[in-house]
Amino acid sequence: MWDARLYNSFEKERIQPSLDLTYRISADKVNRILDVGCGSGMSTRALKARWQNSEIIGADLSREMLAKAKETLPEVKFVCRDCSLPFGNLGKFDIVFSNAFMQWIPNQKQFIANSFEVLNEDGIFAAQIPLFNNMPANDCIINAYNEIKGNRFDSNDIFTIHDERQYYDLLSQFSHNIDIWVTDYYHVMDSHSKILEFLAGTALRPYMQKLKENQVADFLNVVKNKLSETYPMQKNGKVLFAFKRLFITATK
């Protein structure tokens, strides 16, 4: 189960990519927007701020996250559904927005096809994908998990993350106007414990779910120690936590 409270406790760090992607979209008149994998509604808030008069539908499978989203944005329609499956019954849209969601879907080609199917002509598909597999924190988690479990496990078994060339090839089947870029966000954290807390809201969840209850505390402790070794403390006691994200916009 997703923890909306924990996820939202790092609102500043989590909402900025949604804002950056939203304001990169070159569309002023937008009637309908679909926020796929909307979670607690952070990305939906960014969309609502940009297109105040547009109809926005947020879709997610987590009822806990949707409850938080509805509490924050009562004027927006939120629906509970598996967004890896077709969503043509929701109608047509001018924008399909996907923030930090695609990495959870193994068949991303089908998801992209589903998204373009519901886009109007000249509609825009916009996505942000955490490049977590390319980050040192990912190695910290994998190595800690394998130490606790005593076996070999790879993050590719949990996340599906392609590189920019692969995403271009997938999108070029549906669009002739594609923009792709990568941004490194340097989050200023108070401690390595804060990095651990940040990761516990997303990236650590699948690993914790695979462990026995009496293994979780040891796992988190090993992850924290490895984070401390990997991310040096600054002179003022803060820790710079670099987070790499891939962005895409593609016009139908």
Side-chain angles (χ1 to χ4, degrees):
M1 180 179 292
W2 283 89
D3 187 335
R5 180 202 59 79
L6 178 60
Y7 183 86
N8 279 24
S9 64
F10 291 92
E11 180 176 343
K12 176 186 174 184
E13 290 80 7
R14 298 198 193 282
I15 198 171
Q16 192 61 51
S18 293
L19 292 169
D20 293 344
L21 180 58
T22 296
Y23 283 93
R24 185 70 175 257
I25 298 172
S26 56
D28 294 322
K29 186 178 180 181
V30 174
N31 293 318
R32 300 190 80 226
I33 303 170
L34 177 61
D35 187 7
V36 184
C38 65
S40 63
M42 281 192 195
S43 53
T44 321
R45 282 173 48 202
L47 293 166
K48 192 65 177 175
R50 171 85 193 272
W51 294 286
Q52 298 179 15
N53 298 320
S54 300
E55 178 189 359
I56 302 176
I57 296 178
D60 200 278
L61 189 58
S62 169
R63 294 189 182 278
E64 182 179 2
M65 287 292 214
L66 287 174
K68 182 63 178 177
K70 292 175 182 178
E71 177 185 314
T72 305
L73 293 166
E75 72 277 18
V76 172
K77 180 180 178 181
F78 291 99
V79 295
C80 185
R81 64 186 299 149
D82 184 347
C83 297
S84 67
L85 302 176
F87 33 83
N89 63 312
L90 296 176
K92 293 289 187 177
F93 297 89
D94 301 302
I95 296 173
V96 173
F97 195 88
S98 169
N99 181 68
F101 169 71
M102 286 177 63
Q103 71 275 13
W104 300 102
I105 306 175
N107 191 348
Q108 296 184 4
K109 180 178 180 180
Q110 187 57 56
F111 171 73
I112 290 171
N114 294 343
S115 298
F116 276 87
E117 182 182 1
V118 302
L119 278 175
N120 292 317
E121 196 67 26
D122 295 323
I124 296 172
F125 172 78
Q128 182 269 121
I129 302 139
L131 296 180
F132 197 70
N133 289 6
N134 296 342
M135 293 172 50
N138 181 59
D139 295 331
C140 294
I141 295 172
I142 291 293
N143 292 336
Y145 181 84
N146 288 333
E147 282 185 25
I148 297 298
K149 291 287 286 186
N151 60 1
R152 300 306 303 167
F153 188 80
D154 192 275
S155 60
N156 291 324
D157 295 326
I158 293 179
F159 304 113
T160 301
I161 301 174
H162 303 304
D163 63 29
E164 61 273 12
R165 296 173 64 87
Q166 292 171 300
Y167 281 117
Y168 181 87
D169 285 341
L170 287 173
L171 289 160
S172 62
Q173 301 174 54
F174 305 95
S175 172
H176 295 291
N177 184 8
I178 302 168
D179 284 332
I180 299 178
W181 69 98
V182 173
T183 299
D184 285 318
Y185 291 85
Y186 283 84
H187 304 313
V188 180
M189 297 294 194
D190 291 333
S191 65
H192 293 98
S193 294
K194 282 296 182 181
I195 299 178
L196 186 71
E197 189 178 336
F198 176 83
L199 295 173
T202 51
L204 282 169
R205 289 184 64 258
Y207 299 95
M208 293 165 65
Q209 291 170 351
K210 289 177 176 292
L211 292 169
K212 296 177 181 178
E213 188 175 347
N214 62 358
Q215 294 177 314
V216 172
D218 288 340
F219 167 65
L220 294 177
N221 190 53
V222 175
V223 173
K224 180 184 173 183
N225 289 338
K226 291 185 180 298
L227 290 171
S228 300
E229 296 169 358
T230 304
Y231 295 90
M233 189 172 290
Q234 300 299 123
K235 291 181 179 179
N236 65 353
K238 304 289 186 179
V239 184
L240 289 181
F241 180 54
F243 206 108
K244 188 180 294 290
R245 298 179 185 272
L246 174 72
F247 294 83
I248 300 166
T249 63
T251 305
K252 182 174 179 177

